[in-house]
């Protein structure tokens, strides 16, 4: 039985707050959508609604952090990573303040809200900031683990929280170590490195490739920063090529991060699946994924063309 990652996020905040009274949550008039309302209902005295004032919210969160609390800031990814970018840079990351960002409704999966609300550049914006850790969980179980890891990290953390209902791909006992990718399937010919909602598509692509006699590994890169250089280089040496898959622009996201690791290292080939330098548009998420090539078939085709 699947659930939305944003519900998993709200439930995790409520659960961990029961044993950690330093956790406070802030939202910008979207608690009903980001699902921080789950926390608000349980801990109304630790919840703060800033209205449509994202920059003020981020600055206030920094004050909470300096006072020894652990603030979680939530709104849509476009408004948080975009509208409040200067404040995240200068008020939070510049001083390494202990502020967490659980930004929801990221990527094309926002669907009918359209290109104006579909953040396809947020990973790039967040990973370029010094001191920022970037998590992109693939399912509800991993979302909960990302919240726990964020609480334990002393410094800024960005958790990219998707909107749709998603079935669990990972298990409760699977490790979630910041900066350490998880190998979901081993393979010899090609390695598909995926993040977020594209992990499910990567596993499906591996089955398509296996049916054609191509051995495909699948690696879940839940942490974009710090990136797992060791695993990337191991599969770069082991396989004939790497294909990255992300629900984000091919510029600045997972694909760029992997390319930076293997640049200058002799070995296999490289290809990317993602949003090809264009804005999103309105439509059902599954139709948008097909229109933008975020499909198992396209991943498999990229792998075959590369090989």
């Amino acid at each position: 039985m699947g659930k939305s990652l944003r519900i998993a996020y709200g439930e995790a905040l409520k659960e961990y707050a029961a044993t950690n009274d330093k956790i406070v949550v802030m939202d910008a008039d979207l608690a009903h959508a980001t699902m921080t309302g789950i926390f608000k209902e349980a801990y109304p005295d630790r919840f703060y609604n800033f209205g449509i004032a994202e920059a003020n919210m981020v600055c206030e969160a920094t004050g909470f952090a300096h006072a020894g609390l652990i603030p979680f800031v939530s709104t849509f990814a476009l408004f948080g990573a975009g509208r409040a970018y200067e404040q995240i840079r200068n008020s939070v990351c510049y001083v390494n303040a202990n502020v967490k960002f659980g930004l929801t409704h990221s990527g094309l999966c926002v669907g009918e809200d359209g290109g104006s609300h579909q953040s396809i550049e947020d990973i790039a914006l967040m990973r370029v900031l010094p001191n920022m850790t970037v998590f992109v969980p693939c399912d509800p179980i991993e979302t909960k683990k990302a919240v726990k890891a964020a609480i334990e990290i002393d410094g800024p953390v960005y958790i990219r929280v998707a909107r749709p209902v998603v079935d669990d791909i990972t298990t409760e006992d699977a490790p979630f170590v910041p900066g350490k990718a998880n190998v979901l399937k081993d393979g010899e010919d090609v390695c598909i490195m995926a993040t977020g909602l594209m992990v499910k598509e990567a596993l499906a692509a591996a089955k398509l490739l296996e049916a054609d006699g191509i051995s495909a590994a699948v690696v879940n890169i839940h942490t974009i920063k710090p990136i797992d250089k060791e695993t990337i280089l191991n599969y770069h040496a082991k396989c004939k090529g790497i294909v990255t898959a992300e629900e984000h622009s091919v510029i600045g996201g997972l694909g760029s991060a992997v390319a930076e690791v293997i640049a200058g290292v002799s070995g296999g080939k490289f290809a990317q699946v993602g949003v090809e330098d264009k804005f999103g548009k309105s439509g059902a998420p599954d139709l948008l994924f097909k229109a933008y090539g975020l499909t198992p078939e396209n991943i498999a085709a990229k792998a075959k063309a590369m090989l």
Side-chain angles (χ1 to χ4, degrees):
M1 186 73 177
K3 74 169 66 170
S4 171
L5 269 61
R6 56 187 172 137
I7 292 177
Y9 171 66
E11 290 176 346
L13 290 174
K14 175 184 174 182
E15 178 179 335
Y16 295 127
T19 54
N20 190 334
D21 60 8
K22 292 184 177 181
I23 295 173
V24 294
V25 174
M26 304 172 172
D27 210 304
D29 221 21
L30 285 167
H32 63 288
T34 64
M35 293 300 164
T36 58
I38 296 171
F39 178 94
K40 177 184 178 182
E41 189 173 333
Y43 303 101
D45 58 331
R46 292 157 66 182
F47 179 88
Y48 303 86
N49 180 12
F50 279 78
I52 305 173
E54 292 83 358
N56 290 350
M57 176 170 63
V58 172
C59 291
E60 186 69 21
T62 304
F64 274 73
H66 289 322
L69 297 172
I70 305 173
F72 274 80
V73 172
S74 293
T75 182
F76 287 8
L78 187 85
F79 306 147
R83 187 177 295 165
Y85 188 77
E86 181 196 342
Q87 286 72 31
I88 294 174
R89 181 193 188 276
N90 287 338
S91 295
V92 178
C93 291
Y94 193 66
V95 298
N96 198 26
N98 193 32
V99 179
K100 320 303 173 183
F101 299 91
L103 304 186
T104 69
H105 294 66
S106 55
L108 294 178
C109 69
V110 178
E112 290 83 354
D113 286 358
S116 64
H117 282 50
Q118 293 162 359
S119 177
I120 45 90
E121 61 284 307
D122 54 300
I123 294 174
L125 290 171
M126 292 298 104
R127 84 176 186 94
V128 78
L129 292 171
N131 296 321
M132 182 69 83
T133 295
V134 179
F135 293 141
V136 185
C138 70
D139 64 12
I141 288 176
E142 207 166 65
T143 301
K144 180 179 177 181
K145 292 176 182 177
V147 172
K148 185 174 187 290
I151 293 167
E152 295 170 351
I153 290 170
D154 184 15
V157 178
Y158 174 46
I159 307 173
R160 190 186 210 229
V161 184
R163 180 188 188 185
V165 172
V166 179
D167 290 328
D168 282 314
I169 300 166
T170 62
T171 60
E172 294 285 357
D173 59 353
F176 186 93
V177 180
K180 184 62 180 174
N182 290 343
V183 178
L184 302 183
K185 180 184 177 299
D186 203 6
E188 303 292 331
D189 295 323
V190 65
C191 179
I192 306 167
M193 296 187 172
T195 194
L197 298 185
M198 292 304 291
V199 173
K200 177 184 176 183
E201 312 301 329
L203 288 166
K207 287 186 177 180
L208 294 176
L209 291 167
E210 295 285 353
D212 288 336
I214 298 171
S215 174
V218 178
V219 178
N220 171 18
I221 301 189
H222 53 67
T223 308
I224 307 295
K225 185 184 180 182
I227 197 79
D228 186 352
K229 295 181 180 179
E230 181 182 3
T231 297
I232 292 169
L233 289 173
N234 284 346
Y235 275 96
H236 179 61
K238 177 180 180 178
C239 295
K240 299 169 186 173
I242 291 173
V243 180
T244 59
E246 61 192 310
E247 186 209 358
H248 182 274
S249 172
V250 293
I251 302 170
L254 170 66
S256 294
V258 172
E260 288 162 14
V261 174
I262 63 176
V265 181
S266 61
K269 298 178 180 179
F270 177 73
Q272 290 178 267
V273 171
V275 180
E276 297 284 349
D277 195 21
K278 58 181 71 173
F279 288 108
K281 54 188 173 183
S282 181
D286 58 334
L287 296 178
L288 289 173
F289 272 48
K290 289 178 182 177
Y292 285 78
L294 307 184
T295 63
E297 291 78 13
N298 191 36
I299 296 171
K302 285 281 183 87
K304 290 178 181 178
M306 182 179 62
L307 295 174

